[in-house]
Amino acid sequence: WCHVMAHESFENEEIASQMNRNFVCIKIDREERPDIDKVYMNAVQLINGQGGWPLNCFALPDGSPVWGGTYFRPEQWKQILESLTISYKTQPERFEQSAAEIKQGIINSDLISKNTESIDFSFEKLQNAVDNYKTHFDMKFGGTRNAPKFPMPVSLNFLIDYLVYTKDETVEKYLSLTLEKMAHGGIYDQIGGGFARYSTDEKWFAPHFEKMLYDNAQLISLYSKAFRQNPNPLYRKTVYKTIEFCERELRSPENAFYSSLDADSEGEEGLFYVWTRQEIDEILVSDSEVFCKYFGITEIGNWEKGKNILFVDTEISNNEDIDETTISEIIEKSLSKLLEIRNKRIHPGLDDKILTSWNALMVSAYCEAFEAFGESSFLEKAIQTADFILKKQSNSEFKLNRNYKNGVSSINGFLDDYALTIEAFLNLYKSSGNENFLKSAKHFADYTLAHFFNSETNLFYYTSDTDKVIVTRKTETDDNVIASSNSVMAQNLYKLGIYYYDEKLTEIARSSVNLLFDNIIRNIGFFSNWASLFVNFSLPLIEIVIIGNQAVSYQNLLIQNQQNLIFTAISEHESEIPIFKNRFIENRTAIYICKNHICKLPVFTIEDAKRLINQ
């Protein structure tokens, strides 16, 4: 629900009494139970042509949806409650009929047939799709056109990959612009680090102040990856401060991460984050003038009620009277002072549930940051959070739970929990060289194939075969703010297929891309993670197998700023993993450069390996 309808209707005693007298009222946390949310959202979309939150749905006792909508004013809500109560008592058969029609509509909307036609994985087709996507680029403020604006790390991540192969100047400019505007905007907490949920305007200025773990984890990954292609100091600063925010505000004593911070404190949205000019002057004294110019702070306020949101006004950097070094020193010193003062305010509410999928995203974020900046503490913390998932959220059969709160692990894991955990463990293996992470990824994948896989489509259901079905088992394919669970699984199986020389896994990945080919080409902005996998099938993949005690350091040297499509497998010792079979050479670190599992003779220096890669 939304706070507005909660205050207006659900906390109104007259309306609450009417609800409780005639209905069984159930409040769902859509983050804990996205499976339920997906079904009822689908129902409301069928009923009204569109959905959204708050999501209010009326169902029969068996859970079948019969009517619903989004926001209703109090008088509207009372009339709806009264009308449905009378209708259900006098004409119950109409509700049964409506439920049957909606159920069939939900089932039909999820029908995906296996595509038996072979697809030409032409990179040119992908380029055409990106050219179409460019029409949505906002080349003035970054992001896509219009408001509200959401950071879309999945599509931006794809565009970083895409740039490696095309050197597309428009995409390059768009990426740089978007990353800079988001990091300089009010959507980014200039004092404490971390990104808010979205911007209410086109300039990334006024955020909806809620901060989500999944946004910040993915944006850490995004800015780290961008730094490897373009070592912009702003990207580095953004990564480090966002990690600091996550560790300061969201990290639990068990080395996992809580879900989110509310937008409100003391009943007012954004109150924790905004300032009057007078407050700034009193705290910063002589440094206030420079600080206020830098962050666009005014006497009358740049936001509501005379308050100011901090955003970077870069024009001050060109001030003739102050050099950049002095400005930087003033800004950093002032931000530290304001953070200290702000920490004494009443903090926004904390949603202290720990979700497996979002924590897996944080593991991947740490890995990406480690590979970009070489900070050993990032890898250590990634391992700690992964250890939490293994010990607290999974069992000996590699079955995952979704939620952890107050020491209790609960709710069967959904496909995104498995997909993102597998991805995280694959990333941990790549960053550390520890094969146990690769083996865990394979075990989780085996469990997912056994309990989620739909052999009719070669895709995965969102729910396990052990879960109670509400209307139908849904299949998630669209990439949105988070990559779809099926696209992540396809990426995972593609990689595991190479590590384990398992063509069945590779074929499932290829088949799923084949199935969604038209969607990828028509609407690449919402199939961006699929598009990244499409690249793997359209361009020749170079496999680098490194085995020996210098494997990790050799890998880091080889893939740094490497412009080819590269897949690496590393082991510091003799290994039973199929990709390493018969490749260990005593007292040497051997590098094998391969394509389609066909490898050249091993070489033993970075220079020789680079020469073979570039041939």
Side-chain angles (χ1 to χ4, degrees), residues 79-256:
Q79 290 171 8
I80 289 164
L81 295 171
E82 180 69 18
S83 174
L84 287 173
T85 300
I86 293 170
S87 296
Y88 185 63
K89 288 177 179 176
T90 58
Q91 296 177 300
E93 67 282 354
R94 285 180 56 194
F95 284 78
E96 296 289 346
Q97 181 182 348
S98 177
E101 291 171 355
I102 292 169
K103 179 178 180 178
Q104 193 57 51
I106 293 172
I107 292 170
N108 290 344
S109 70
D110 218 37
L111 288 177
I112 302 175
S113 342
K114 187 181 286 188
N115 186 357
T116 55
E117 296 180 15
S118 62
I119 292 293
D120 173 19
F121 287 102
S122 163
F123 191 73
E124 184 180 350
K125 291 180 179 177
L126 203 64
Q127 288 178 294
N128 293 336
V130 172
D131 286 340
N132 291 333
Y133 186 40
K134 289 177 189 176
T135 61
H136 299 283
F137 289 0
D138 182 339
M139 299 304 293
K140 186 175 181 182
F141 299 112
T144 52
R145 292 177 180 172
N146 301 322
K149 272 189 177 173
F150 290 78
M152 298 296 283
V154 181
S155 59
L156 294 172
N157 184 70
F158 161 69
L159 291 175
I160 291 176
D161 289 340
Y162 180 78
L163 263 186
V164 171
Y165 312 112
T166 64
K167 307 301 181 192
D168 187 309
E169 291 182 4
T170 302
V171 171
E172 186 173 16
K173 182 180 178 182
Y174 170 74
L175 267 172
S176 297
L177 177 71
T178 302
L179 293 173
E180 179 183 322
K181 291 292 186 182
M182 288 197 304
H184 280 160
I187 192 174
Y188 179 70
D189 181 357
Q190 302 295 334
I191 291 176
F195 289 83
R197 183 71 197 86
Y198 60 85
S199 170
T200 60
D201 60 276
E202 65 177 4
K203 299 179 181 180
W204 306 105
F205 167 64
H208 173 53
F209 288 88
E210 186 179 24
K211 284 181 173 178
M212 313 298 297
L213 175 62
Y214 65 81
D215 282 320
N216 284 284
Q218 290 183 102
L219 289 164
I220 290 167
S221 293
L222 179 70
Y223 278 89
S224 298
K225 188 170 183 176
F227 182 86
R228 294 177 71 181
Q229 300 296 334
N230 172 21
N232 185 332
L234 175 64
Y235 301 168
R236 179 190 179 96
K237 180 181 176 182
T238 303
V239 168
Y240 274 72
K241 283 193 70 172
T242 304
I243 288 175
E244 286 171 13
F245 154 70
C246 290
E247 293 178 352
R248 183 180 66 248
E249 305 284 346
L250 297 177
R251 194 174 179 88
S252 78
E254 300 102 329
N255 296 318

Side-chain angles (χ1 to χ4, degrees), residues 254 363 382-393 425 428 437:
E254 300 102 329
V363 173
I383 292 171
Q384 289 172 356
T385 303
D387 195 48
F388 168 87
I389 293 173
L390 276 176
K391 291 181 177 177
K392 300 291 188 179
Q393 295 295 83
F425 278 78
L428 259 181
F437 296 127

